[in-house]
DNA sequence: CTGTTAGCGCTTTCAG
DNA sequence: CTGAAAGCGCTAACAG
C-alpha cells in the first residue's frame, strides 16, 4: 500500500506538503501540486480513510441509518424501501453516503451513537419504541442524530433533532369527520401498545371522543398488525353497533373488511373504514376503495438529511419538524368525495 | 472521550490487557475481565472504530454497495429497492452492515476499491457498463468484490466474483418459443448499446435467428428505455410485418402496446410481445397481460453476500454464479398457457 | 514551501 | 498478567 511517505520520498517533496495537496486545507503552488498528483497517479496512491479520520477527528461523510430497533415490529418494514431510497438520494446531494444498520440490539445501537464508535458523522433513527431506553443511560456526548418518529422523553434529556407526523392531530381530524357524518359509535384498532405512535393515536382519539358525550369510542390493540387481528376485533365491536372503524394499517383493514362482509353490512354506508397507515407495496386490494392516510417518506428523508447536515456543519440547535400525512377519502368513507 | 488508556489507569490494569479484553484475541482471567468491563460501563468507554481498524488492518464489518455507475442509466433504478433490502437482510445475518454509494464517478468508485480507501471490507458492484474502465487501470491490490451483472473483460485481468443472469440463453429461449409458435419476423427493442446486457441479448437473438433462414430478425436500441422509444421502433417494424417483439423492459413494452393498438392489431394473436426485464414497482398496467422474465433479486443478494463473505474469510478464489430468470408466459404471448 | 515532531487510539510484541 | 515501546497513516504545529 502506498502512503503519503512513499510519495514524499519519491518526489522529494515534504510529507506535510503532500498532505496539504490532498487535504486542500493549505495553499500549495500549482507546480508542486502537479508533481504530487502525477506521482500519486503513477504510484496509485490514495489517502487512507481510517488514518485521515483518526488523526484529527475528521469527517467520514457517512450517515448511519438505524433500522428496526424494536423487536415488536420485527423484520424489514415495507416503508424502509422508500425511506432508504430517498435518504440515499438526498444524502448523495450533500456528499454523504448511507450506512444501514439492521437488526442491532438497542445496546449496540446506543454504542454506535458515541463519537468514534462507528464510521458515521451522524445518525438517523427510525420508529423508537416506548420501552426504548437506548440513550437515556448515556451521559457522554453523542454524535448528531435525528429521530424519525416520536422521540419525546426517550433520550433522558439528550437533545436531538426529530421528525414526526402529527399522529394526535390526524386521528382527531378523522374522528371529527366521522362524527360530522353522523357516526355514533367509533372504534379504533390500534397497533402494539409499546409503540409511541400507538399512544399518540390514543390521545387524539380520546380527545375527539370525549368532547361530545353522544359519541362512544372503543380502542383495541393488535399485537402483530395482522388481518386476523383486524377480523377478530372488528367482529366483536360491530356486534355492539359500531358504525365507524379506524385501523392502524392496511393489514388490519383487510381483516375489518372481511368481518364487515361476513356480517352482511355495507362498507361506506353501514360502517365507515379508515386506515391510518398505508403502504402501496403491501399488495392488498380493497373493494370498495379504502380511505387512508399516507406518509410522505420522501419528505421525511429530505427533512432528515437537511437537519442532520445542518447540525454537522453548524452545530445548530436541535430542531423538530412535523410533517402532516396526506388524507385520502375514498369509497370506504361513504358519500364524501 | 474515554480511551483504553483511561480505563487502564482507573483500574490499574495494563493497557494491553484491557485491549485483550475487548479484542478477545487473548485469554484474560474472568476476574480481571469483569473489572475492566465494569469500569468500561461506568466510564462509558467504547472502542474507537478508526483506531481499531487502522492499527492492524482489522475488519470494519461493512460491505459497500456501489450503485449507478453509468450515466446512461441515470438515477435510482427501481430494482435497487429490492436489491438493497435483500442485501441488508443477508449482510446482517453475517454480521455486516451495508454502506451505499450512489452517484459516484467511475474514478471515485475505482479508488474506493483499494484497501483502506473506504471503511469497507468488500464491495458489491452493479450493472457495469461496457465503457467502464474503472478497474482495468488499477494494478495494485483490490479489496474483495463481487459484480452483479456481466463482468467479462471489464477488469483488465483482475479477478473477482460475479453473479449474472444467463441473458444470452434467456433471449435464445424466448426466440425459439416464438418461432415454435409460428412467428416469422421477430424484432427486439434492446437497451442502450453501452450496456453489457445489451450485447448479451444481441448474441442470444442472433444465435436463435441465424439457425433458421426462414425467420427474420431485427434489433433496435432504445437509448433511454422510454415508452416513446418503444412506440417509435414498434411502429416502424410493425409496418414491415413483424409478428413478435421482445422488449428490454416494461417501459418499452408499454410503448409497443400502444403502437400495436394504434395499428389496429391484436396483441397475443397478431403480434406476440415479451418483456425481458420487468419490475412490479413500475406502476405500469398491461392489457392483455404482459409476458415477461423477472430477476430474482433476493437470490442475487443471497449469492452475492455468500460469495463475498467467503472471499473475506477464506481468501477463496473468485467464483461466478449464474442465476436464471423466471419466465412468465401471459396473454401477450397468445395461446400458450 | 521544508522538515521535524507530536499525537489520534488502538494492536502487537516482547521481556519480565 | 504487566509495562514499555513501536507502529498503523495521517494532520497539525512550528521553526526555519
Amino acid at each position: 500500500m502506498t502512503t503519503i511517505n512513499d510519495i514524499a520520498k519519491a518526489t522529494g517533496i515534504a510529507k506535510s506538503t503532500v498532505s496539504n495537496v490532498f487535504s486542500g486545507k493549505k495553499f500549495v503552488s500549482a507546480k508542486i501540486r502537479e508533481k504530487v498528483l502525477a506521482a500519486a497517479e503513477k504510484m496509485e496512491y490514495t489517502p487512507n480513510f481510517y488514518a485521515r479520520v483518526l488523526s484529527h477527528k475528521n469527517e467520514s461523510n457517512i450517515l448511519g441509518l438505524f433500522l428496526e430497533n424494536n423487536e415488536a415490529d420485527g423484520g424489514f418494514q415495507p416503508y424502509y424501501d422508500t425511506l432508504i431510497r430517498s435518504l440515499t438520494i438526498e444524502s448523495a446531494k450533500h456528499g454523504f453516503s448511507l450506512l444501514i444498520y439492521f437488526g442491532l440490539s438497542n445496546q449496540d445501537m446506543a454504542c454506535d451513537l458515541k463519537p468514534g464508535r462507528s464510521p458515521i458523522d451522524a445518525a438517523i433513527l427510525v420508529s423508537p419504541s416506548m420501552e426504548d431506553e437506548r440513550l437515556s443511560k448515556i451521559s457522554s456526548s453523542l454524535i448528531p442524530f435525528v429521530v424519525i418518529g416520536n422521540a419525546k422523553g426517550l433520550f433522558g434529556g439528550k437533545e436531538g433533532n426529530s421528525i414526526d407526523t402529527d399522529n394526535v392531530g390526524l386521528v382527531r381530524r378523522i374522528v371529527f369527520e366521522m362524527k360530522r357524518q353522523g357516526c355514533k359509535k367509533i372504534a379504533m384498532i390500534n397497533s402494539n401498545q409499546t409503540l409511541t405512535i400507538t399512544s399518540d393515536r390514543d390521545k387524539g382519539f380520546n380527545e375527539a371522543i370525549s368532547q361530545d358525550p353522544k359519541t362512544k369510542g372503543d380502542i383495541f390493540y393488535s399485537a402483530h398488525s395482522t388481518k386476523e387481528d383486524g377480523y377478530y376485533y372488528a367482529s366483536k365491536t360491530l356486534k355492539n353497533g359500531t358504525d365507524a372503524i379506524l385501523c392502524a394499517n392496511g393489514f388490519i383493514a383487510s381483516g375489518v373488511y372481511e368481518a364487515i362482509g361476513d356480517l352482511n353490512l355495507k362498507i361506506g354506508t353501514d360502517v365507515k373504514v379508515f386506515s391510518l397507515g398505508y403502504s402501496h407495496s403491501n399488495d392488498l386490494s380493497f373493494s370498495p376503495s379504502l380511505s387512508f392516510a399516507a406518509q410522505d417518506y420522501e419528505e421525511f428523508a429530505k427533512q432528515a438529511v437537511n437537519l442532520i447536515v445542518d447540525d454537522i456543519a453548524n452545530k445548530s440547535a436541535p430542531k423538530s419538524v412535523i410533517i402532516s400525512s396526506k388524507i385520502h377519502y375514498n369509497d370506504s368513507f361513504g358519500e364524501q368525495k
Side-chain angles (χ1 to χ4, degrees), chain A:
Chain A
M1 189 189 196
T2 325
T3 76
I4 211 172
N5 258 317
D6 300 329
I7 102 123
K9 271 177 204 154
T11 56
I13 293 166
K15 178 179 163 184
S16 45
T17 306
V18 177
S19 172
N20 287 331
V21 168
F22 288 101
S23 68
K25 294 195 179 173
K26 268 185 182 160
F27 176 81
V28 178
S29 76
K31 213 173 178 175
I32 299 276
R33 173 181 210 78
E34 296 298 311
K35 239 169 107 179
V36 169
L37 258 19
E41 172 108 4
K42 201 171 61 192
M43 303 172 68
E44 292 183 3
Y45 166 77
T46 206
N48 181 285
F49 174 87
Y50 307 103
R52 181 176 60 75
V53 182
L54 176 63
S55 73
H56 275 263
K57 316 270 177 296
N58 274 305
E59 307 109 353
S60 64
N61 287 314
I62 297 173
L63 259 32
L65 173 64
F66 293 78
L67 298 176
E68 193 215 19
N69 46 28
N70 64 63
E71 304 79 28
D73 269 1
F76 198 100
Q77 307 291 325
Y79 75 88
Y80 286 176
D81 281 346
T82 314
L83 189 64
I84 293 173
R85 173 168 11 101
S86 310
L87 284 171
T88 301
I89 295 170
E90 282 308 313
S91 306
K93 288 185 190 163
H94 296 269
F96 284 85
S97 301
L98 191 70
L99 175 55
I100 303 177
Y101 290 99
F102 177 69
L104 294 187
S105 69
N106 279 352
Q107 198 180 352
D108 284 348
M109 205 175 315
C111 269
D112 285 336
L113 259 28
K114 298 186 196 167
R117 184 64 188 81
S118 304
I120 57 177
D121 292 336
I124 300 166
L125 313 174
V126 296
S127 56
S129 77
M130 290 184 75
E131 293 160 343
D132 188 351
E133 21 160 82
R134 283 178 283 180
L135 303 186
S136 53
K137 283 191 198 161
I138 302 181
S139 61
S140 67
S141 65
L142 297 177
I143 58 176
F145 65 91
V146 53
V147 176
I148 296 185
N150 190 322
K152 278 174 210 127
L154 293 180
F155 301 98
K158 226 53 83 220
E159 8 183 279
N161 304 285
S162 76
I163 298 182
D164 198 11
T165 44
D166 181 15
N167 289 302
V168 180
L170 171 65
V171 174
R172 208 192 298 120
R173 254 184 301 163
I174 306 302
V175 173
F176 273 131
E177 186 57 29
M178 285 172 163
K179 292 193 338 193
R180 202 187 65 74
Q181 292 195 30
C183 297
K184 298 292 176 209
K185 194 156 184 351
I186 303 172
M188 176 164 70
I189 306 179
N190 211 337
S191 301
N192 193 297
Q193 283 201 66
T194 60
L195 303 173
T196 52
I197 190 174
T198 300
S199 66
D200 283 349
R201 287 173 181 152
D202 282 0
K203 196 176 166 204
F205 189 82
N206 291 328
E207 279 176 21
I209 291 291
S210 65
Q211 281 200 3
D212 175 7
K214 283 172 303 192
T215 313
K216 292 194 168 183
D218 253 323
I219 301 180
F220 304 92
Y221 301 98
S222 163
H224 301 293
S225 286
T226 58
K227 176 175 161 178
E228 289 76 11
D229 283 8
Y231 186 91
Y232 178 81
Y233 294 113
S235 297
K236 301 246 161 176
T237 195
L238 285 166
K239 284 171 189 156
N240 290 327
T242 287
D243 52 13
I245 303 182
L246 285 90
C247 316
N249 54 59
F251 297 111
I252 293 174
S254 68
V256 169
Y257 264 51
E258 240 181 83
I260 296 175
D262 285 359
L263 290 169
N264 291 314
L265 295 170
K266 199 141 180 297
I267 296 165
T269 48
D270 297 328
V271 187
K272 295 192 191 308
V273 181
F274 190 95
S275 181
L276 297 165
Y278 191 72
S279 166
H280 284 285
S281 58
N282 278 343
D283 254 5
L284 298 169
S285 65
F286 293 92
S287 168
S289 59
L290 181 64
S291 304
F292 63 93
Q295 313 287 5
D296 188 348
Y297 288 111
E298 291 174 17
E299 187 62 25
F300 270 64
K302 196 170 284 185
Q303 296 285 349
V305 173
N306 278 342
L307 286 186
I308 218 65
V309 165
D310 192 44
D311 196 336
I312 293 171
N314 312 323
K315 285 260 140 226
S316 52
K319 295 192 187 65
S320 281
V321 174
I322 299 288
I323 297 174
S324 54
S325 353
K326 277 194 205 126
I327 297 177
H328 303 257
Y329 287 117
N330 291 316
D331 296 338
S332 74
F333 219 80
E335 83 260 21
Q336 172 103 13
K337 174 67 219 79

